[in-house]
Amino acid sequence: MYTTFNSWLAERVIDIKENNLYRELNVMNSWPKPKVDMNGKKKIVFSSNNYLGLATDERLINAAESTGRKFGVGSSGSRLTTGNSSWHEKLEDRIASFKQTEASLLFSSGYLANVGVLSSLPESEDIILSDELNHASIIDGCRLSKAKTIIYKHVDLQDLENKLKETKIYDRRFIVTDSVFSMDGNIAPLDKIIALAKAYHAYVIVDDAHGTGILGENGRGACEYFGVKPDVVIGTLSKAIGTEGGFVAGSYILQDFLINQARTFIFQTAIPPSVCAASYEAINIIEVDQRMRESLMLKVNIIRNRLQALGYKVKGNKTPIIPVIIGEAKKALWFSNKLKEHDIFAPAIRPPTVKEGESRIRLTVTAEHSYDDIDRLIQAFETIRKEQEVTK
Ligand SMILES: *Cc1c(COP(=O)(O)O)cnc(C)c1O
């Protein structure tokens, strides 16, 4: 039956609302600090990826400003035409030395880096083995790949090994995994995954979006934490580094290949040089300033322990992502709205982002949260818990 375009869409949106999966935008009218002006109201935010507070760091702002004055606000083209500035090259060299790889290649986002790598690297006769909780950008990259994708159970080494055995006849298998799972906050056992890959002659691609700047002695990420060297490391500048953009780190030949084959690199306008300059500054800071990470992890542990003491089911470990399992989507949404009444913003994460029945409040902590912010968060969780018990 024919309906008008807009009424057809309206029906679909009603459907989303009925399933408690409706999403809305919030308007921020202040810097990305823990205390923000959101939709005209003061809120304490526990959902930022600006883990180290670098997004508002004076040193980064100065770098972006002075480079913006010299190079302009846009890059004017793709890297292969006119968009490649000396700052892009300088940042790529810096990322490579930070990640301790031969080379790196910038993309406009981590999303596009994942899609670019996975759609170009594996060939049609290859197999991709992907963790079931990998980020959406990995899933989309696998969908665009000509290789066949096999999903293995979340961080399940036995299942991964079985699947490596089952696919022995293939010349090339690629294991792809998040280093830190974005909705669960746990760390993939990269040491064991890479040992398995070696034993079965598979290649390893690691998405270190949430590990970069956070894990390891010098904040180099999950590979430093485990002391491993996967074939391909993907990362983003948009989390701990505090700016925007994505990257792939690995060998010179990998960089050369991606420049020639990754469509999300070739057909994309380069990020602005000012963003490269700010990112460069951020990496310099991250590499030497251990205190930021220590202060962050201290706060993470306090929140984890106090929520657990209140009886909440908390997932993850050793990362600033703290998922609090609530259950049904509707209940998680209710919980998130309750937190708002306490002037706290933390989103309800619902299907399809997480499994049915595992909806959650996803908290993230930053080095900039004060102990008072943390007290207010815990008090809110305590009050809401009591309210829940009364209404049960
Ligand atoms: C955030 C994230 C990305 C995407 O990075 P952007 O730079 O925001 O596009 C990719 N992978 C994982 C695991 C992420 O958490």
Side-chain angles (χ1 to χ4, degrees):
M1 191 188 69
Y2 173 80
T3 49
T4 65
F5 178 75
N6 285 329
S7 57
W8 163 63
L9 285 183
E11 273 173 36
R12 293 180 68 178
V13 172
I14 288 169
D15 222 40
I16 294 169
K17 284 185 178 166
E18 279 174 356
N19 288 310
N20 295 299
L21 300 177
Y22 188 64
R23 299 167 193 241
E24 278 172 291
L25 294 170
N26 295 301
V27 184
M28 316 289 272
N29 195 21
S30 56
W31 329 41
K33 293 264 189 199
K35 289 194 179 66
V36 299
D37 176 326
M38 183 188 279
N39 307 323
K41 295 193 183 103
K42 298 262 174 295
K43 293 273 179 269
I44 307 174
V45 169
F46 277 94
S47 67
S48 168
N49 293 325
N50 180 24
Y51 296 126
L52 301 174
L54 289 171
T56 56
D57 190 286
E58 278 297 318
R59 294 163 286 184
L60 272 70
I61 292 170
N62 288 339
E65 190 183 349
S66 61
T67 307
R69 294 211 175 276
K70 231 169 128 186
F71 285 79
V73 288
S75 69
S76 91
S78 73
R79 294 285 298 285
L80 285 162
T81 57
T82 54
N84 188 34
S85 75
S86 50
W87 268 109
H88 291 88
E89 304 259 325
K90 204 173 155 181
L91 177 59
E92 284 175 344
D93 288 346
R94 189 68 188 89
I95 291 170
S97 71
F98 178 55
K99 287 290 189 184
Q100 300 183 317
T101 55
E102 284 176 6
S104 87
L105 188 68
L106 285 169
F107 285 73
S108 294
S109 70
Y111 187 106
L112 290 165
N114 271 325
V115 170
V117 165
L118 289 160
S119 62
S120 65
L121 208 53
E123 298 185 84
S124 59
E125 62 273 26
D126 299 345
I127 293 284
I128 303 171
L129 294 161
S130 176
D131 187 289
E132 70 176 319
L133 294 191
N134 274 343
H135 190 261
S137 55
I138 293 180
I139 297 170
D140 291 355
C142 291
R143 283 178 181 155
L144 277 173
S145 169
K146 292 187 186 74
K148 186 180 165 205
T149 302
I150 298 174
I151 310 292
Y152 64 88
K153 291 197 192 113
H154 179 52
V155 297
D156 187 329
L157 296 164
Q158 192 55 58
D159 192 43
L160 176 58
E161 182 162 13
N162 291 344
K163 290 189 161 117
L164 283 164
K165 279 182 188 156
E166 285 162 17
T167 54
K168 255 188 165 160
I169 53 158
Y170 291 86
D171 287 340
R172 280 177 303 274
R173 278 88 50 85
F174 294 81
I175 301 169
V176 58
T177 183
D178 282 11
S179 62
V180 174
F181 290 88
S182 51
M183 295 303 139
D184 285 58
N186 58 323
I187 305 174
L190 291 186
D191 49 346
K192 299 197 177 79
I193 289 173
I194 287 175
L196 269 181
K198 283 219 172 86
Y200 289 91
H201 303 296
Y203 303 128
V204 179
I205 303 173
V206 173
D207 176 358
D208 201 20
H210 290 281
T212 302
I214 301 299
L215 297 177
E217 178 81 23
N218 299 95
R220 300 185 202 286
C223 299
E224 184 185 26
Y225 178 81
F226 284 107
V228 294
K229 287 202 179 291
D231 300 284
V232 183
V233 177
I234 290 158
T236 177
L237 303 173
S238 69
K239 289 174 178 146
I241 292 173
T243 61
E244 280 270 351
F247 62 83
V248 178
S251 60
Y252 290 121
I253 194 70
L254 173 69
Q255 180 200 43
D256 201 18
F257 173 83
L258 292 172
I259 289 172
N260 283 278
Q261 289 293 307
R263 292 169 65 83
T264 58
F265 176 85
I266 300 167
F267 298 104
Q268 252 275 323
T269 298
I271 58 173
S274 56
V275 172
C276 297
S279 310
Y280 184 92
E281 195 61 34
I283 294 171
N284 288 345
I285 296 166
I286 285 171
E287 213 175 45
V288 295
D289 191 349
Q290 268 98 356
R291 282 169 318 167
M292 289 189 307
R293 276 184 290 285
E294 282 163 13
S295 149
L296 172 63
M297 287 321 292
L298 194 64
K299 289 165 191 173
V300 166
N301 290 334
I302 290 171
I303 295 176
R304 258 183 208 294
N305 293 340
R306 289 179 70 183
L307 286 174
Q308 268 162 348
L310 288 175
Y312 283 100
K313 188 180 168 199
V314 178
K315 289 194 116 182
N317 196 9
K318 293 181 185 160
T319 75
I321 301 168
I322 308 180
V324 186
I325 302 297
I326 305 293
E328 294 311 313
K330 195 175 170 183
K331 212 170 143 199
L333 207 55
W334 173 85
F335 205 108
S336 176
N337 285 330
K338 276 281 161 192
L339 284 171
K340 266 187 210 146
E341 290 173 17
H342 291 264
D343 294 333
I344 285 171
F345 180 78
I349 308 290
R350 296 157 283 167
T353 313
V354 294
K355 274 189 209 153
E356 206 69 57
E358 285 195 15
S359 289
R360 60 199 65 184
I361 299 294
R362 178 181 179 270
L363 301 172
T364 59
V365 192
T366 72
E368 289 189 307
H369 280 108
S370 68
Y371 287 99
D372 181 57
D373 295 337
I374 293 173
D375 283 342
R376 288 179 59 185
L377 174 79
I378 301 299
Q379 272 159 21
F381 269 88
E382 195 170 1
T383 311
I384 298 169
R385 164 124 289 195
K386 282 183 192 142
E387 263 177 63
Q388 270 179 310
E389 273 159 12
V390 173
T391 55
K392 246 180 208 165

